[in-house]
Amino acid sequence: MASQIKEFQLACKLSDLRPNHPNTIEIDDRFVVVVLLNAQVFCLEDLCTHDGGTLGDGEMDGNCLVCPRHGAKFDVRTGEAMCMPATEPTLSHEVEVRGDEVFVRLRDTV
Ligand code: FES
C-alpha cells in the first residue's frame, strides 16, 4: 500500500530554536527532533535505529546528532547513520520555514 502524503504541520517558532541544539516536538502523536544548523532547519524522527534511543536527548557533533545511549551519530540533514552501532538511517522529515514559523511534513518511510 502506498504511503499517504501528509500535509505540512506547524512544529515551532524559528525564534524559539537555539542553534545546534536538538528540540523535541510532538506532532500527530509522534516525536521529532528539530535542529537549527547553519541557519537551516532540519527535522529527524526522535528514534535511534540502533535500539530505539531518543535522539532529542542527545547532543550535536558537527552536522550529526549523537544518540545518548550508545553514541551512534545521525546526519541531521539526511537522517543517515554515520557510525556504529547504528547502520540504518532514521527518518528525515521535510521542513519549510515561513516567516517565524517552522512547518514539518512527516514521512512514514525513509
Ligand atoms: S540506542 Fe542509539 S546508539 Fe544504541
Side-chain angles (χ1 to χ4, degrees), residues 23-25 30-35 41-47 55-56 60 63-66 73-80 89-95 104 106:
N23 301 269
T24 304
I25 292 168
R30 280 165 70 174
F31 288 96
V32 298
V33 185
V34 175
V35 179
V41 183
F42 301 96
C43 181
L44 299 182
E45 192 82 357
D46 187 18
L47 182 69
L55 297 175
M60 292 295 294
N63 296 329
C64 292
L65 184 51
V66 183
K73 296 182 182 182
F74 295 88
D75 190 320
V76 296
R77 302 167 301 177
T78 62
E80 187 179 353
T90 194
L91 285 175
S92 170
H93 302 294
E94 203 175 342
V95 173
V104 169
L106 296 176

Side-chain angles (χ1 to χ4, degrees), residues 47-55 66-74 84-86:
L47 182 69
C48 176
T49 56
H50 171 235
D51 194 29
T54 52
L55 297 175
V66 183
C67 179
R69 288 190 58 204
H70 314 106
K73 296 182 182 182
F74 295 88
M84 297 293 278

